[in-house]
Amino acid sequence: MRCCCEDAARLLVWSVLMSSSKPVRTRFAPSPTGSLHIGGLRTALFNWLYARHSGGQFILRIEDTDQKRYDPDALRILMESLTWAGLDWDEGPDKDGPYGPYVQSERLALYQEWADWLVTNGHAYRSYETPAELEASRKAREAQGLPPGYDRGHRELTAAQIAAYEAEGRPTVVRLKMPLTGEMHLPDALRGTVTFDAGQLQDTVLLKSDGFPTYHLAHVIDDHFMEISYVMRAVEWLPSFPIHWQLWQSFGWEAPAYVHLPVMLNPNGKGKMSKRNPPRDAHGRLIPVLVHDYIAAGYLPEAVDNFLANIGWNFGGDREVFSMAEAIERFDLTRINEANSAFPPDKLDWLNGVYLREMPADELALKLRAPIEREGWTASDEELRQIAPLVQPRIKTLNDVVEMAGFFFREPFIPAGDEQFAAKGLTPAQAAALLDKARAALEAVPGWTHEALEAAMRELAEAEGLKVKDLFNPLRSAVTGQLVSPPLFESMAIIGRQASLARLAATSARLAGNEAS
RNA sequence: GGCCCCAUCGUCUAGAGGCCCAGGACAUGGCCCUUUCAAGGCUAAAACGCGGGUUCGAAUCCCGCUGGGGUCACCA
């Protein structure tokens, strides 16, 4: 028998989440200032999962209100990255809907209109200071030991003063009138009530002198008119939450539920991941920050999604390998962890390996083509199809195929150096002699199948009184040029009779030549 | 520095007052398998930051401290 408090607790959570009867609409609202950050993708993923879970809509909105930082390629890259990750949006810049346009620079008139409305209704005011004047007042405050920021100098201008500034033709910004005293209690759907002391807060700029809105104004207006029901964004927005809340109050609009998600920190837990100060893993290897770089590094979207879903959210039931379809079914706000987390690169590599191994080998073969061609090599479909199952359990990323199986394609073939044989306890002369014997035996093998090759070489090892590895390993170096490779005889079968024997001969000749000189 | 958020193995996490001398996963060590390297199997070590409360009982609730993070723009 389940106790009644448990039911009551469930009911409470349920009612909080359902308190808004509006359909669930979430959004991802990046600014197009460059490529998508991996942390941005996670924020997008959570929003998308929640919308899909609830049968609602996921909206892509572009916040391009900073003309100085505008990057014309960014929008394309952004949409490419989201599409790669499988996050489809119901409304967006390229997909019009009833609440468009979805690019803020195309909605300027709306922001200006509502900024005016705030001024007219006493919730905001125009301020006329020049950047130099603001700088001077900031310095003065600093000198007096006052907290930095705007001194609210133009909050209570007289009509005459305003008229004078206007007559001067000064540029102007619109600032929000924040409460001067008291406490603000703000609801966060994850963290409960967050309390701020209103006196500490600033009269933030809402509308810039170039007529563009700041994030604060634009997102509130858009979220209202786009009927967004859940704003899920990173915690770094929490300190400006009071501004946003004040705006909702000033407008008299019903605010959406706000959810401040934890952020991803560098692998060492020091500071959030950023493009400046590139993060490194425990081995000092550079960790990509941009989704683009994850794509280029040969990670699979399924693995990246799964990985990201496991940071700050938990599937439950001790499972951490799951599809997005399963995640959609389970996703809820109550399983989100409020704590920031260090980015675990090893876990991504492991998960990517899991997906690589689960994939049908023929599908993997198709995906191997890109990294191989990027090296300038050519590969037939048949070669790829044969190589795929060999490398499958041995690679963590698609790109690892280059190191693991490059010897199949590299032209001309690079014979192993003496050190590879020395590592197995052989002098160049001994190695050459051994390889010559092996070559003679292999030339006599009728069919060039891996079974036949292995049988012949085991026979040779026995005849020579060698342990198989003392023959196989030098042979591996000779045929692949590597100390580490996929299974030897399977590899030789793919390389083919003629090329394999030629590689043996070349390596042997090189060893003998070195010995002579 | 002010304000805000957060705090379970090295890391990602489970844990809604007794099911917990804390479970899973990655990474690490050992063993098995083995032609190298992987993969796979088994196994080991590894955590409730500290101090006060509340309670019969606290990883779980409260307070303080400490630590970490975020934020303080006419950027988002």
Side-chain angles (χ1 to χ4, degrees), chain A residues 30-291:
Chain A
S31 64
T33 54
S35 191
L36 182 59
H37 189 286
I38 187 74
L41 181 59
R42 190 188 59 151
T43 300
L45 176 66
F46 279 28
N47 276 283
W48 178 81
L49 283 171
Y50 192 59
R52 293 289 169 260
H53 170 81
S54 317
Q57 284 101 45
F58 175 63
I59 289 92
L60 175 63
R61 183 174 72 218
I62 303 303
E63 311 222 326
D64 59 341
T65 56
D66 186 359
Q67 293 179 294
K68 293 188 233 35
R69 296 206 301 162
Y70 181 71
D71 174 354
D73 284 336
L75 178 57
R76 180 184 52 78
I77 295 173
L78 215 45
M79 296 202 293
E80 262 175 28
S81 300
L82 292 173
T83 301
W84 174 80
L87 309 191
D88 57 323
W89 49 95
D90 302 292
E91 299 159 33
D94 61 335
K95 196 165 181 185
D96 206 11
Y99 305 94
Y102 297 91
V103 176
Q104 290 186 330
S105 59
E106 295 169 21
R107 301 167 66 83
L108 257 29
L110 225 208
Y111 310 125
Q112 286 158 1
E113 178 190 329
W114 283 99
D116 282 343
W117 184 93
L118 287 171
V119 173
T120 306
N121 289 275
H123 300 295
Y125 58 96
R126 293 190 181 281
S127 92
Y128 299 87
E129 293 97 337
T130 62
E133 286 167 346
L134 286 176
E135 184 56 30
S137 104
R138 232 191 305 273
K139 282 207 174 118
R141 289 170 67 81
E142 212 174 307
Q144 291 171 60
L146 290 165
Y150 180 58
D151 64 3
R152 298 190 159 113
H154 286 194
R155 179 157 164 151
E156 306 293 349
L157 253 27
T158 63
Q161 285 172 309
I162 292 173
Y165 282 127
E166 291 286 346
E168 229 182 285
R170 281 213 190 198
T172 171
V173 300
V174 173
R175 286 181 184 271
L176 179 63
K177 278 188 186 170
M178 288 297 285
L180 267 9
T181 56
E183 284 185 338
M184 293 181 81
H185 302 276
L186 317 180
D188 180 288
L190 202 58
R191 297 160 199 269
T193 303
V194 183
T195 303
F196 288 84
D197 181 357
Q200 306 262 358
L201 304 161
Q202 304 253 319
D203 285 357
T204 322
V205 172
L206 261 21
L207 198 68
K208 299 180 266 188
S209 57
D210 63 3
F212 278 64
T214 58
Y215 167 83
H216 310 297
L217 211 222
H219 101 268
V220 167
I221 291 176
D222 286 346
D223 285 343
H224 172 69
F225 288 106
M226 293 182 183
E227 295 182 29
I228 300 302
S229 61
Y230 284 83
V231 174
M232 301 170 69
R233 39 130 77 157
V235 256
E236 50 239 37
W237 289 111
L238 198 48
S240 53
F241 192 14
I243 299 166
H244 309 147
W245 196 253
Q246 182 63 26
L247 239 15
W248 287 105
Q249 304 261 282
S250 300
F251 283 128
W253 295 335
E254 188 194 346
Y258 276 83
V259 180
H260 291 95
L261 301 172
V263 292
M264 292 198 298
L265 273 21
N266 284 314
N268 64 7
K270 301 278 176 212
K272 63 176 181 177
M273 288 182 87
S274 76
K275 299 167 235 185
R276 309 171 40 90
N277 298 335
R280 291 174 184 277
D281 68 8
H283 323 287
R285 257 180 39 210
L286 227 50
I287 305 297
V289 175
L290 305 177
V291 175

Side-chain angles (χ1 to χ4, degrees), chain A residues 6-50:
Chain A
E6 193 176 329
D7 280 337
R10 270 173 219 283
L11 202 68
L12 183 68
V13 170
W14 183 253
S15 67
V16 166
L17 295 179
M18 291 289 122
S19 61
S20 155
S21 56
K22 293 182 288 187
V24 169
R25 285 172 59 83
T26 65
R27 43 68 162 187
F28 180 56
S31 64
T33 54
S35 191
L36 182 59
H37 189 286
I38 187 74
L41 181 59
R42 190 188 59 151
T43 300
L45 176 66
F46 279 28
N47 276 283
W48 178 81
L49 283 171
Y50 192 59

Side-chain angles (χ1 to χ4, degrees), chain A residues 390-402:
Chain A
L390 260 39
V391 299
Q392 194 159 25
R394 295 179 167 77
I395 56 176
K396 301 256 188 232
T397 68
L398 259 14
N399 291 10
D400 288 346
V401 72
V402 170

